[in-house]
Amino acid sequence: MDTVLLFALGLLAQGLDLSLGVPGLRGPGTLFPWHRAPSSGRVRRAWVIPPISVSENYKRLPYPLVQIKSDKQQLGSVIYSIQGPGVDEEPRGVFSIDKFTGKVFLNALLDREKTDRFRLRAFALDLGGSTLEEPTDLEIVVVDQNDNRPVFRQEVFTGHVLEGAVPGTYVTRAEATDADDPETDNAALRYSILEQGSPQLFSIDEHTGEIRTVQVGLDREVVAVYNLTLQVADMSGDGLTSTASAIITLEDVNDNAPGFTREEFFMEATEAMSGVDVGRLEVEDRDLPGSPNWAARFTILEGDPDGHFAIRTDPKTNEGVLSVVKPLDYESCDQYDLRVEVQNEVPLQAAAPRAERDQARVSVQVRDVNEAPVFQENPLRTSLAEGAAPGTPVATFSARDPDTQQLQRLSYSKDYDPEDWLQVDGATGWVQTQSVLSPASPFLKDGWYRAIILAYDDASPPCTATGTLSIEILEVNDHAPELSPSSGSLCSEPDQGSGLLLGATDEDLPPHGAPFHFQLSPRVPELARNWSLSRINMSHARLRLRHQVQEGLHRLSLLLQDSGQPPQHREQLLNVTVCHCGQDGVCLQGAAALRAKGTGLSLGALGIVLASVILLFLLALPVALLSRFRQQPWDKGLLPGLQDDLRDNILNYDEQGGGEEDQDAYDISQLRHPAELAALSAPLGRPLLRRDTPFSWVRPPPSRVLPTSPADMADFINDGLEAADSDLSVPPYDTALIYDYEGDGSMAGTLSSILSSLGDEDQDYSCLQDWGPRFARLADLYGPP
């Protein structure tokens, strides 16, 4: 049968046999859900089974709810079953069915708050398991009971309202919930206030739970906090109940003005002191302590025209603290009568019970004390010319005693005078110099000298005042400028080089120094024909040649003048060496040597140097002759027997070249033709000097020509060593030299192989002892034992 017929309780008028079993009825009803309603020639349609209602918390279990039947088979030949929540789904075991009779039973307590309805599926099968009818729906509705009390969302509700609020002002809202069916009276809630004290100042809306004010008279200064007991009940107020609390706090408003506790205050202050507290002004304010409604603000209305006093508020006590901010003078005023006003920081409410401001009188008595003297001008600034003689007046640094009603005498003394330059009269404060102050004094800072003078009275104990005396030392133009440098060189061709840069220095301070004026001496007018001076800046000028002059030393007289008042000038000598220059505008070597010998040496000094050279030559001549005579056997025994020129085998290893295969490191042909070295012995350009070279050192003349005979080789070596030791343009003889790696497999033999074919036993090496300490090691190796 494809059509499902659904029968409800009381549908007997349709001709169906149906009765439902619910709690309170005698037995379960019978359903024929698959029974077809007869119809003639029309399409049959399905009926919807109405829900089966059952009350929650029903305890007489198991209880038969309903019985279902199929009219296709006889009783006992149909098997019934149900499926769904409460049967084979969670919660399991709530419902069951008798498979042969079709009776549905309730087996457990129902809780609507957990599950308010169950939707099951009913099946009808024959004994062979074949489906007799299509499955049909079976809905069971759980009927609610009032088994849950209403619950407030909070145990304590809080609210705030301004004091003095008008009736009807919203304060807070209480909320509650009920787990029962909201569609029934079981969840119909009503709110009420059980207790709030007297008078009744608050009300609550029974439906919404809103709490509002109902009367005037909320005064925080009287009652600051109200505690209310609230109740909620279901069943529209007649069912189950719950309670909660509401705490309502009144917020302060400035409805109380501050007031002085007394109409007049008496205080005492000491003269000549500031930054001290004199006393306190007490006030009272009933508003909330610490709030702007409570904080007091004080104002001095009259009695202090010069601003000696100030009042601040103590934030903890709200008292006014009267203090002295400007020193008092007993001699000027011995008592002050002040009128002081107090009010709040925020405006007072219009309904305040008394005036917004309050006033009081404050009497301050000034106490006399001994005061320190006062300098009339401190610091005292004055000026004095540089180099002032002892006894020169400086200033009168006097003070006055403010204690006019006390007869006291003042005295003066120095407290700080680092150069002990000043003298102070102890009775008058008259200051004068007692020595000459050096311009180079370290205590002269930017042209100012500072001293400290003390003034003290004769009271007991005495009071002392400190005064600063600042003296400006006026610069005096007492130094002429000096030429720097005093010598130099110029190229002989006027168009070569950049000229000679001249500068000047002056020991005087500005404005007595630069700009300097450079001038060729007017006493020698012929200087202007060959030389010219052009100014570069305030302190330098450039000297140039007008046309070519003779090379050599020229002494020019220059006149230098500063810009002081009056100006100082000095005529100074400038030594200029005119030399032949290369293309780069630098003097060549010969010219440089000429400049070095002539610079700064007078004729007498040149004579002394020349005499010393001749004397040294006369002393060295006998030594050289004796050394040559003693070395002659060695020279004749060693060198004449050689078939080859030994100089061809000498390599200069001081050159850091690439070894013996490096033919550019040293030209061996120079040893074969020594006579040709004379033309090559003068290097171009200015020679380099060592850092320890004295400024007055003169480069020695070039070495003499290499000997052409092997017999003169010993003398040549000795002279060369002596020249190398005294030449400051090359490293000293004991300087460590680092040589490059010269490779392996040299074609030359070792040094020990030199002259080995002649036989060492035939040679006389005794003369090595006379060659000096450099040949001592060779003498030990080859000389006689």
Side-chain angles (χ1 to χ4, degrees):
M1 300 177 64
D2 298 331
T3 305
V4 177
L5 302 179
L6 195 130
F7 302 91
L9 182 63
L11 296 182
L12 298 178
Q14 299 289 338
L16 301 177
D17 182 11
L18 172 64
S19 64
L20 299 179
V22 296
L25 299 181
R26 294 185 177 181
T30 302
L31 289 177
F32 295 91
W34 299 283
H35 187 76
R36 296 177 183 174
S39 60
S40 58
R42 292 187 302 174
V43 178
R44 294 168 296 183
R45 53 194 180 93
W47 294 85
V48 177
I49 301 177
I52 301 172
S53 299
V54 57
S55 178
E56 66 173 335
N57 301 320
Y58 189 75
K59 299 179 181 180
R60 296 171 59 185
L61 303 176
Y63 179 76
L65 293 177
V66 70
Q67 182 180 10
I68 59 177
K69 286 185 178 183
S70 173
D71 57 357
K72 279 196 173 184
Q73 298 289 343
Q74 297 296 326
L75 182 64
S77 60
V78 180
I79 297 176
Y80 302 96
S81 64
I82 56 175
Q83 295 179 0
V87 182
D88 54 354
E89 299 178 16
E90 294 295 335
R92 298 175 183 271
V94 177
F95 303 101
S96 64
I97 188 171
D98 188 312
K99 64 180 180 178
F100 295 112
T101 63
K103 292 183 178 181
V104 179
F105 293 92
L106 174 65
N107 301 319
L109 291 177
L110 298 179
D111 188 353
R112 193 207 63 84
E113 286 70 38
K114 291 183 179 181
T115 306
D116 59 350
R117 66 187 58 239
F118 296 87
R119 290 182 175 87
L120 306 179
R121 299 276 285 176
F123 300 90
L125 306 175
D126 59 14
L127 296 179
S130 299
T131 302
L132 294 177
E133 306 286 354
E134 291 296 328
T136 187
D137 293 332
L138 183 62
E139 184 176 14
I140 300 174
V141 177
V142 181
V143 179
D144 182 49
Q145 289 187 344
N146 190 19
D147 57 347
N148 291 280
R149 288 180 178 275
V151 177
F152 279 103
R153 293 186 180 273
Q154 300 172 216
E155 292 185 0
V156 178
F157 295 90
T158 59
H160 298 269
V161 64
L162 293 175
E163 63 173 329
V166 298
T169 302
Y170 174 84
V171 179
T172 187
R173 179 181 178 182
E175 292 184 88
T177 60
D178 195 315
D180 290 325
D181 189 356
E183 301 298 329
T184 66
D185 284 347
N186 298 335
L189 306 182
R190 297 294 183 267
Y191 299 92
S192 61
I193 299 177
L194 294 182
E195 181 180 356
Q196 63 173 316
S198 179
Q200 305 296 318
L201 299 177
F202 302 95
S203 66
I204 188 170
D205 188 294
E206 66 174 353
H207 296 284
T208 63
E210 290 185 355
I211 300 176
R212 297 176 179 271
T213 61
V214 294
Q215 292 187 21
V216 297
L218 293 176
D219 190 352
R220 191 206 63 83
E221 288 74 34
V222 177
V223 178
V225 179
Y226 289 88
N227 292 298
L228 279 63
T229 302
L230 308 180
Q231 176 181 281
V232 62
D234 59 14
M235 300 296 292
S236 298
D238 298 328
L240 303 177
T241 63
S242 294
T243 59
S245 299
I247 299 178
I248 301 175
T249 303
L250 300 188
E251 294 182 351
D252 185 52
V253 296
N254 191 16
D255 56 349
N256 293 279
F260 288 103
T261 58
R262 288 182 291 171
E263 294 182 355
E264 188 172 4
F265 297 86
F266 296 93
M267 302 177 184
E268 188 177 70
T270 303
E271 70 165 335
M273 297 182 66
S274 63
V276 296
D277 296 339
V278 178
R280 290 176 172 260
L281 308 177
E282 296 179 1
V283 296
E284 59 181 10
D285 192 318
R286 298 180 59 197
D287 289 321
L288 181 64
S291 68
N293 302 323
W294 172 79
R297 184 175 62 192
F298 299 86
T299 306
I300 299 177
L301 298 179
E302 61 182 32
D304 184 24
D306 298 326
H308 289 91
F309 301 95
I311 303 180
R312 69 179 187 275
T313 303
D314 188 331
K316 295 182 178 180
T317 64
N318 211 29
E319 296 174 330
V321 182
L322 181 66
S323 60
V324 178
V325 296
K326 190 175 181 179
L328 303 175
D329 185 9
Y330 175 82
E331 288 71 22
S332 299
C333 181
D334 59 356
Q335 182 173 340
Y336 291 86
D337 292 322
L338 310 177
R339 188 163 61 89
V340 181
E341 179 186 75
V342 63
Q343 60 181 338
N344 288 127
E345 291 184 356
V346 298
L348 191 67
Q349 292 288 331
R354 67 182 186 183
E356 180 180 2
R357 306 165 188 263
D358 193 18
Q359 296 182 3
R361 182 173 176 269
V362 181
S363 179
V364 181
Q365 184 71 34
V366 181
R367 184 170 61 249
D368 186 25
V369 296
N370 183 30
E371 300 176 74
V374 178
F375 282 98
Q376 298 179 2
E377 183 180 357
N378 191 15
L380 177 63
R381 293 179 173 86
T382 186
S383 59
L384 205 62
E386 177 186 12
T392 302
V394 178
T396 299
F397 203 8
S398 60
R400 64 175 182 86
D401 191 349
D403 294 316
T404 56
Q405 300 183 12
Q406 303 178 22
L407 298 178
Q408 298 179 151
R409 184 174 58 88
L410 300 183
S411 301
Y412 302 90
S413 65
K414 292 190 304 181
D415 181 64
Y416 178 76
D417 182 15
E419 288 286 357
D420 197 20
W421 178 46
L422 304 175
Q423 182 180 3
V424 180
D425 187 287
T428 62
W430 172 259
V431 182
Q432 63 181 2
T433 63
Q434 60 181 0
S435 61
V436 178
L437 180 64
S438 173
S441 171
F443 302 101
L444 196 59
K445 305 296 183 182
D446 297 329
W448 288 84
Y449 182 85
R450 187 174 68 92
I452 296 178
I453 309 299
L454 299 180
Y456 47 92
D457 56 28
D458 57 354
S460 181
C463 288
T464 305
T466 302
T468 301
L469 177 62
S470 297
I471 305 173
E472 182 182 13
I473 306 301
L474 301 177
E475 181 71 20
V476 176
N477 192 18
D478 53 354
H479 294 87
E482 294 185 2
L483 184 65
S484 175
S486 60
S487 62
S489 61
L490 281 175
C491 295
S492 57
E493 296 292 337
D495 56 348
Q496 284 188 321
S498 59
L500 179 59
L501 182 64
L502 302 177
T505 59
D506 198 324
E507 295 184 12
D508 293 321
L509 298 176
H512 301 297
F516 301 112
H517 178 67
F518 298 82
Q519 182 183 4
L520 295 171
S521 176
R523 295 188 303 101
V524 189
E526 60 270 15
L527 292 177
R529 293 196 297 269
N530 299 328
W531 311 86
S532 66
L533 272 174
S534 59
R535 181 176 177 180
I536 297 178
N537 51 35
M538 293 191 300
S539 59
H540 291 81
R542 192 181 304 278
L543 177 67
R544 291 183 178 272
L545 280 171
R546 294 185 181 273
H547 52 79
Q548 187 173 3
V549 299
Q550 182 181 1
E551 295 183 6
L553 180 64
H554 296 262
R555 292 180 174 85
L556 308 182
S557 180
L558 301 183
L559 181 64
L560 271 71
Q561 178 176 308
D562 58 23
S563 299
Q565 294 296 329
Q568 293 284 346
H569 57 82
R570 176 186 296 176
E571 202 170 293
Q572 301 180 50
L573 188 65
L574 173 65
N575 294 323
V576 181
T577 300
V578 180
C579 60
H580 181 69
C581 296
Q583 294 182 355
D584 55 356
V586 179
C587 289
L588 299 179
Q589 183 182 9
L594 178 62
R595 180 184 71 246
K597 290 186 289 184
T599 301
L601 295 178
S602 63
L603 183 60
L606 291 174
I608 294 175
V609 171
L610 182 60
S612 301
V613 171
I614 295 174
L615 179 60
L616 291 175
F617 178 75
L618 294 177
L619 293 176
L621 183 59
V623 177
L625 293 176
L626 179 60
S627 174
R628 180 176 181 183
F629 176 76
R630 296 184 61 182
Q631 294 172 3
Q632 190 170 3
W634 160 256
D635 297 339
K636 293 181 178 180
L638 177 62
L639 299 175
L642 297 177
Q643 300 299 324
D644 299 328
D645 190 353
L646 294 179
R647 287 168 292 178
D648 289 352
N649 297 329
I650 295 177
L651 296 177
N652 185 355
Y653 282 92
D654 287 348
E655 297 291 332
Q656 300 184 16
E660 296 168 354
E661 296 180 358
D662 186 3
Q663 300 301 321
D664 296 332
Y666 191 84
D667 190 2
I668 199 67
S669 63
Q670 295 178 5
L671 292 178
R672 297 192 181 96
H673 305 286
E676 299 177 1
L677 291 176
L680 303 174
S681 60
L684 297 177
R686 184 175 181 179
L688 299 175
L689 301 180
R690 296 208 313 262
R691 294 182 179 179
D692 58 345
T693 304
F695 181 80
S696 60
W697 177 81
V698 179
R699 180 178 177 86
S703 304
R704 62 187 177 86
V705 179
L706 293 174
T708 57
S709 172
D712 299 332
M713 184 61 68
D715 294 338
F716 177 76
I717 293 176
N718 288 332
D719 294 341
L721 292 174
E722 182 179 356
D725 290 345
S726 60
D727 189 356
L728 296 178
S729 64
V730 297
Y733 71 88
D734 57 351
T735 299
L737 299 178
I738 301 174
Y739 302 98
D740 290 342
Y741 177 70
E742 298 183 354
D744 299 329
S746 174
M747 294 183 295
T750 63
L751 293 177
S752 62
S753 64
I754 299 176
L755 301 178
S756 60
S757 61
L758 300 178
D760 292 342
E761 67 276 1
D762 299 334
Q763 303 300 324
D764 183 10
Y765 297 101
S766 60
C767 62
L768 292 175
Q769 299 286 350
D770 301 328
W771 284 26
R774 292 180 179 82
F775 296 91
R777 183 60 176 165
L778 289 175
D780 294 340
L781 293 175
Y782 294 94

